[in-house]
Short mmCIF file of all heavy atoms in Angstrom, two decimals:
data_model
loop_
_atom_site.label_atom_id
_atom_site.label_comp_id
_atom_site.label_asym_id
_atom_site.label_seq_id
_atom_site.Cartn_x
_atom_site.Cartn_y
_atom_site.Cartn_z
N MET A 1 -16.20 13.90 4.56
CA MET A 1 -14.89 13.28 4.66
C MET A 1 -14.08 13.56 3.41
O MET A 1 -12.92 13.94 3.47
CB MET A 1 -15.04 11.77 4.86
CG MET A 1 -13.74 11.01 5.13
SD MET A 1 -12.70 10.66 3.70
CE MET A 1 -13.71 9.45 2.85
N LYS A 7 -8.65 19.09 1.11
CA LYS A 7 -8.00 20.23 1.76
C LYS A 7 -6.67 19.86 2.37
O LYS A 7 -5.69 20.59 2.27
CB LYS A 7 -8.94 20.82 2.82
CG LYS A 7 -10.16 21.53 2.22
CD LYS A 7 -11.03 22.09 3.32
CE LYS A 7 -12.24 22.82 2.73
NZ LYS A 7 -13.13 23.34 3.78
N VAL A 18 10.23 12.66 -7.17
CA VAL A 18 9.09 11.75 -7.35
C VAL A 18 8.21 12.21 -8.52
O VAL A 18 7.36 11.46 -8.99
CB VAL A 18 8.26 11.67 -6.05
CG1 VAL A 18 7.09 10.72 -6.18
CG2 VAL A 18 9.15 11.20 -4.88
N LEU A 19 8.42 13.42 -9.00
CA LEU A 19 7.60 13.95 -10.08
C LEU A 19 7.67 13.04 -11.31
O LEU A 19 8.75 12.64 -11.75
CB LEU A 19 8.08 15.36 -10.46
CG LEU A 19 7.88 16.44 -9.40
CD1 LEU A 19 8.58 17.73 -9.81
CD2 LEU A 19 6.39 16.70 -9.17
N GLU A 42 -0.69 14.44 -7.37
CA GLU A 42 -0.22 15.81 -7.31
C GLU A 42 1.25 15.94 -7.67
O GLU A 42 1.72 17.04 -7.97
CB GLU A 42 -0.49 16.38 -5.91
CG GLU A 42 -1.97 16.60 -5.65
CD GLU A 42 -2.27 16.97 -4.21
OE1 GLU A 42 -1.33 17.00 -3.39
OE2 GLU A 42 -3.45 17.20 -3.90
N VAL A 62 -12.27 9.74 -8.73
CA VAL A 62 -11.54 9.35 -9.93
C VAL A 62 -11.18 10.53 -10.83
O VAL A 62 -10.01 10.69 -11.22
CB VAL A 62 -12.31 8.26 -10.71
CG1 VAL A 62 -11.65 8.01 -12.07
CG2 VAL A 62 -12.37 6.97 -9.90
N LEU A 65 -8.31 12.64 -9.39
CA LEU A 65 -7.00 12.02 -9.57
C LEU A 65 -6.52 12.16 -11.00
O LEU A 65 -5.35 12.48 -11.26
CB LEU A 65 -7.07 10.54 -9.17
CG LEU A 65 -7.35 10.22 -7.71
CD1 LEU A 65 -7.46 8.71 -7.52
CD2 LEU A 65 -6.27 10.79 -6.80
N GLN A 73 -4.77 5.24 -15.48
CA GLN A 73 -5.64 4.17 -15.94
C GLN A 73 -6.22 3.47 -14.72
O GLN A 73 -5.52 3.22 -13.74
CB GLN A 73 -4.88 3.18 -16.81
CG GLN A 73 -4.39 3.79 -18.12
CD GLN A 73 -4.08 2.75 -19.17
OE1 GLN A 73 -4.72 1.70 -19.23
NE2 GLN A 73 -3.10 3.04 -20.00
N ILE A 79 -9.04 -8.16 -7.31
CA ILE A 79 -7.93 -9.12 -7.32
C ILE A 79 -8.37 -10.30 -6.46
O ILE A 79 -8.12 -10.35 -5.25
CB ILE A 79 -6.63 -8.49 -6.76
CG1 ILE A 79 -6.31 -7.19 -7.47
CG2 ILE A 79 -5.47 -9.46 -6.92
CD1 ILE A 79 -5.09 -6.49 -6.92
N VAL A 86 -1.02 -11.49 -10.40
CA VAL A 86 0.13 -11.55 -11.30
C VAL A 86 -0.18 -10.81 -12.60
O VAL A 86 0.64 -10.03 -13.11
CB VAL A 86 0.52 -13.02 -11.59
CG1 VAL A 86 1.55 -13.10 -12.71
CG2 VAL A 86 1.06 -13.68 -10.32
N GLY A 97 5.52 0.98 -19.13
CA GLY A 97 6.90 0.79 -19.55
C GLY A 97 7.84 0.57 -18.40
O GLY A 97 9.03 0.89 -18.47
N SER A 127 -3.41 -15.31 5.26
CA SER A 127 -3.00 -15.81 3.95
C SER A 127 -3.83 -15.19 2.83
O SER A 127 -3.29 -14.78 1.79
CB SER A 127 -3.13 -17.34 3.92
OG SER A 127 -2.80 -17.84 2.64
N LEU A 130 -2.86 -11.39 2.37
CA LEU A 130 -1.50 -11.08 1.97
C LEU A 130 -1.05 -11.78 0.69
O LEU A 130 0.05 -11.51 0.20
CB LEU A 130 -0.53 -11.42 3.11
CG LEU A 130 -0.71 -10.62 4.40
CD1 LEU A 130 0.28 -11.07 5.47
CD2 LEU A 130 -0.57 -9.12 4.14
N GLU A 150 15.67 0.93 -10.22
CA GLU A 150 15.48 1.09 -8.78
C GLU A 150 14.00 1.33 -8.51
O GLU A 150 13.26 1.78 -9.40
CB GLU A 150 16.30 2.28 -8.27
CG GLU A 150 17.79 2.11 -8.42
CD GLU A 150 18.56 3.25 -7.80
OE1 GLU A 150 17.95 4.07 -7.08
OE2 GLU A 150 19.77 3.33 -8.03
N ASN A 155 3.77 -2.22 1.07
CA ASN A 155 2.54 -2.95 1.36
C ASN A 155 1.92 -2.40 2.64
O ASN A 155 2.59 -2.36 3.68
CB ASN A 155 2.82 -4.45 1.49
CG ASN A 155 3.31 -5.05 0.19
OD1 ASN A 155 2.76 -4.78 -0.87
ND2 ASN A 155 4.36 -5.86 0.25
N ALA A 171 -4.39 -9.19 14.64
CA ALA A 171 -3.41 -8.13 14.39
C ALA A 171 -1.99 -8.66 14.55
O ALA A 171 -1.10 -8.35 13.74
CB ALA A 171 -3.66 -6.96 15.34
N ASP A 184 11.96 -10.82 4.00
CA ASP A 184 12.46 -11.82 3.06
C ASP A 184 12.62 -11.22 1.67
O ASP A 184 13.67 -11.39 1.02
CB ASP A 184 11.50 -13.01 3.02
CG ASP A 184 12.01 -14.13 2.12
OD1 ASP A 184 13.17 -14.55 2.29
OD2 ASP A 184 11.25 -14.59 1.24
N THR A 207 6.94 -0.81 23.81
CA THR A 207 8.04 -0.52 24.72
C THR A 207 8.37 0.96 24.64
O THR A 207 7.93 1.67 23.74
CB THR A 207 9.29 -1.35 24.36
OG1 THR A 207 9.82 -0.86 23.12
CG2 THR A 207 8.95 -2.82 24.22
N ILE A 220 0.32 8.14 6.33
CA ILE A 220 0.80 7.07 5.46
C ILE A 220 1.21 7.65 4.11
O ILE A 220 2.21 7.24 3.51
CB ILE A 220 -0.27 5.98 5.31
CG1 ILE A 220 -0.48 5.27 6.66
CG2 ILE A 220 0.14 4.96 4.25
CD1 ILE A 220 -1.60 4.26 6.65
N LYS A 230 14.41 10.41 -2.69
CA LYS A 230 15.84 10.12 -2.44
C LYS A 230 16.12 9.90 -0.96
O LYS A 230 17.08 9.22 -0.61
CB LYS A 230 16.69 11.26 -2.97
CG LYS A 230 16.44 12.61 -2.29
CD LYS A 230 17.27 13.72 -2.91
CE LYS A 230 17.00 15.07 -2.24
NZ LYS A 230 17.79 16.16 -2.86
#
Side-chain angles (χ1 to χ4, degrees):
M1 186 282 291
K7 290 180 179 178
V18 181
L19 293 171
E42 289 171 358
V62 172
L65 294 177
Q73 295 200 33
I79 307 177
V86 170
S127 177
L130 297 179
E150 297 184 11
N155 296 315
D184 183 51
T207 69
I220 293 175
K230 62 183 179 181

